[in-house]
Amino acid sequence: MYEFVTGPLAWIAFGIFIIGMIVKVISVIRLTSQKDKVVFNHWSWGWSFRSIYRWLIPFGSRSMREKPGLTIGVFVFHICLLAVPIFLLGHSIMWDERWGISWWSFSEMTTDYMTLLLIAAALFLLIRRIVLPEVKIVTTAYDYLLLAIAAAPFITGYMAYHQWFDYKTMLIIHILCGEIMLIAIPFTKLSHMILFFFTRAHIGSEFGQRRGAVTF
Amino acid sequence: MAEPAIDTNVIKQRLAALKGGRFKTWLQLCAHCGYCADSCFFYQAHDKDPKYMPAYKVIQTLGKLYKTNGEVSKEELEKMASIAWGDCTACRRCSMYCPFGIDIAVMIAATRAILCSQGLAPDALMDAVKNYWEFGNQMAVTEEDLSETLEWMAEETEEEMPGLTIPFEKEGADMMYTINAREAKYYPQDIAEAAMIFYAAGENYTFPKMGWDDTNLAMFAGEMKCAAHVVKLCYDNAERLGVNRIGVTE
């Protein structure tokens, strides 16, 4: 089983993730050039990057400043989500053993705490969905599922690292959860991982270039 | 509200036409995060009643139309009309608050266009669209009405500014002057005041017989063919008169 999830299944998961994302991007650009030419009429690289930059840094936009709690929660969640799997020592060693490529990694204690932070942030996002009326009213089962898909690799990874229950089984579950997430990204709202940059670039151009925003 | 029967096929066509790169991505992406809620003054003014949060309003209108592919009852459409016309001004503040930059207000505007195609729009707006097609302005002012109003206003200013005339259909003027149809219909003194300024400034301008209404309510109704017609009227007449500029008061 371990050989299967780290062998063929890993290939499939990474393959679907990478090819899926490429297809996604190409199809969005194609569809836009066919049916939404207006997007290109007002396109501005300057405003695009300005808008993306402003929304990538914490408190870079007005709405982020108005909801500081959510902003901190969201940034903790996303930073840990991206950094932990890439800079985890255990993962690094696997890459090194299999492919002979190695890069810098965090200490095990750092990633351990970051995982806890991520789980806390996920809990915060979950509670928010249940408690706040303006979030609850738009929340569907799909939203909970996505949060679960995103948080599961970290919860199971934490359990495996601390050797709760049977280590080998836990590790396989952890790897499976990670692969489910990778496969889910191109097909779900998680595709905002890449589409975020497109929609932000568009609205940046829209309000900046087209509406002639001026900055002082 | 007018009362024609619902044409589901038209709704379907409109929905399909909208589904380009923007709408498809927007509808796919919304993470239901709630960042947009506080941007909306309807939401704020109703003591943060979640029914007024922008994403919810889109879900209840355009979202429902897509989910059902336009197969909705008249009552449901009327409910959507009440949201799209009554609970949103399409000010686009929510679009600026969305982390993904989803243009929420544009989706409401698109919903309005669909509703308008089914006769579900404020009467005044539907009348304006009809008038643009028939008279070239939103208030059914005829060419004769306008030229008479201009003459009348020139007379009114006689004492204050002797010799003032208001040019009408003057070819080769520097500027074609356009107004809100309301000025010709209800507030002609606005025309007189502008004419006095132009006269004092020695401006070489003219009113055209058509294309002088620079409002475009058809755009708000999402009647894009009519909206284009209004703009085209203006440009065609400017070209016909051979002016260098178009003056827009709105």
Side-chain angles (χ1 to χ4, degrees):
Chain A
M1 191 65 183
Y2 179 78
E3 280 68 38
F4 177 68
V5 293
T6 57
L9 202 59
W11 276 101
I12 291 170
F14 274 101
I16 290 177
F17 167 64
I18 292 165
I19 295 167
M21 288 308 248
I22 293 170
V23 170
K24 189 109 211 170
V25 167
I26 292 172
S27 68
V28 164
I29 295 173
R30 258 192 59 196
L31 191 62
T32 307
S33 51
Q34 282 166 359
K35 285 177 90 175
D36 260 338
K37 289 201 183 81
V38 65
V39 170
F40 301 109
N41 295 351
H42 307 283
W43 193 265
S44 150
W45 290 105
W47 284 105
S48 293
F49 285 118
R50 187 190 154 93
S51 184
I52 290 167
Y53 165 72
R54 276 288 172 178
W55 284 84
L56 279 183
I57 56 168
F59 303 104
S61 71
R62 189 192 166 99
S63 62
M64 280 196 237
R65 290 191 288 274
E66 280 185 14
K67 284 189 188 294
L70 177 58
T71 302
I72 292 168
V74 164
F75 272 91
V76 166
F77 185 78
H78 282 89
I79 290 169
C80 295
L81 191 81
L82 288 172
V84 170
I86 296 173
F87 297 114
L88 189 101
L89 188 63
H91 291 179
S92 249
I93 291 168
M94 276 187 80
W95 283 96
D96 200 14
E97 280 174 355
R98 296 272 169 105
W99 301 95
I101 33 176
S102 60
W103 58 80
W104 180 81
S105 51
F106 289 134
S107 74
E108 292 201 287
M109 199 180 75
T110 311
T111 40
D112 207 32
Y113 280 121
M114 283 175 87
T115 306
L116 282 178
L117 269 175
L118 180 136
I119 294 168
L123 265 177
F124 164 74
L125 293 176
L126 175 73
I127 292 166
R128 230 183 129 256
R129 285 218 178 277
I130 300 165
V131 172
L132 297 180
E134 78 270 25
V135 190
K136 194 180 173 188
I137 199 167
V138 287
T139 295
T140 60
Y142 182 37
D143 295 313
Y144 291 117
L145 178 69
L146 287 179
L147 193 57
I149 289 175
F154 297 85
I155 297 168
T156 52
Y158 189 84
M159 288 163 89
Y161 175 69
H162 289 275
Q163 317 229 340
W164 295 359
F165 309 109
D166 178 44
Y167 174 69
K168 200 87 191 173
T169 318
M170 214 59 225
L171 194 64
I172 290 169
I173 294 172
H174 164 65
I175 294 166
L176 271 174
C177 286
E179 287 163 347
I180 288 171
M181 180 165 85
L182 280 177
I183 294 169
I185 291 172
F187 301 104
T188 61
K189 284 175 195 223
L190 297 179
S191 59
H192 73 249
M193 181 179 176
I194 195 100
L195 292 180
F196 163 88
F197 297 94
F198 289 79
T199 51
R200 272 248 69 85
H202 163 63
I203 206 75
S205 301
E206 178 76 10
F207 281 118
Q209 184 78 4
R210 188 173 177 200
R211 316 302 303 187
V214 177
T215 48
F216 296 99
Chain B
M1 302 255 175
E3 291 277 335
I6 292 171
D7 191 340
T8 313
N9 283 332
V10 171
I11 301 181
K12 280 182 182 161
Q13 279 165 19
R14 297 248 178 168
L15 285 172
L18 282 174
K19 221 164 186 179
R22 289 180 305 164
F23 278 70
K24 213 174 163 201
T25 312
W26 291 339
L27 290 162
Q28 253 172 28
L29 276 192
C30 175
H32 301 153
C33 68
Y35 260 121
C36 58
D38 284 330
S39 73
C40 183
F41 66 86
F42 277 95
Y43 171 76
Q44 300 276 6
H46 285 89
D47 292 326
K48 307 207 168 192
D49 181 342
K51 282 207 300 281
Y52 293 94
M53 79 89 87
Y56 182 73
K57 287 187 264 191
V58 174
I59 292 168
Q60 291 303 307
T61 53
L62 195 66
K64 257 195 188 160
L65 285 174
Y66 269 116
K67 264 206 182 121
T68 57
N69 193 21
E71 301 277 355
V72 287
S73 68
K74 176 110 188 169
E75 289 72 43
E76 279 173 294
L77 264 192
E78 274 166 3
K79 235 187 247 168
M80 289 178 197
S82 158
I83 295 171
W85 295 107
D87 300 342
C88 173
T89 61
C91 74
R92 285 179 114 189
R93 200 159 182 250
C94 48
S95 310
M96 297 183 110
Y97 269 59
C98 174
F100 293 162
I102 296 173
D103 209 334
I104 303 166
V106 161
M107 294 207 271
I108 291 285
T111 312
R112 286 180 175 185
I114 293 172
L115 293 165
C116 208
S117 76
Q118 303 304 309
L120 286 167
D123 285 344
L125 215 46
M126 299 294 278
D127 287 346
V129 171
K130 225 174 73 197
N131 288 337
Y132 279 127
W133 283 120
E134 204 170 326
F135 299 94
N137 64 80
Q138 54 149 305
M139 290 195 180
V141 177
T142 63
E143 189 186 322
E144 217 182 344
D145 290 341
L146 179 70
S147 71
E148 274 172 17
T149 305
L150 297 181
E151 273 169 40
W152 170 38
M153 281 303 113
E155 278 166 33
E156 287 288 313
T157 53
E158 229 166 24
E159 269 179 41
E160 229 174 313
M161 282 198 171
L164 183 151
T165 54
I166 303 179
F168 182 65
E169 278 290 292
K170 180 177 162 189
E171 276 180 38
D174 178 46
M175 174 180 71
M176 182 177 101
Y177 185 55
T178 66
I179 54 172
N180 185 321
R182 191 199 306 136
E183 293 178 43
K185 182 100 175 176
Y186 299 114
Y187 308 110
Q189 66 273 23
D190 288 1
I191 295 175
E193 277 157 12
M196 285 158 79
I197 294 171
F198 286 144
Y199 184 66
E203 196 66 46
N204 179 18
Y205 75 107
T206 184
F207 271 91
K209 63 180 178 186
M210 264 287 174
W212 49 265
D213 183 357
D214 53 28
T215 65
N216 203 331
L217 295 181
M219 194 186 74
F220 290 107
E223 287 289 331
M224 287 310 166
K225 265 188 196 140
C226 184
H229 162 72
V230 174
V231 176
K232 199 166 178 305
L233 264 186
C234 184
Y235 276 88
D236 284 352
N237 279 279
E239 248 172 34
R240 181 178 58 80
L241 292 170
V243 298
N244 302 319
R245 301 181 281 162
I246 297 171
V248 178
T249 55
E250 273 293 285

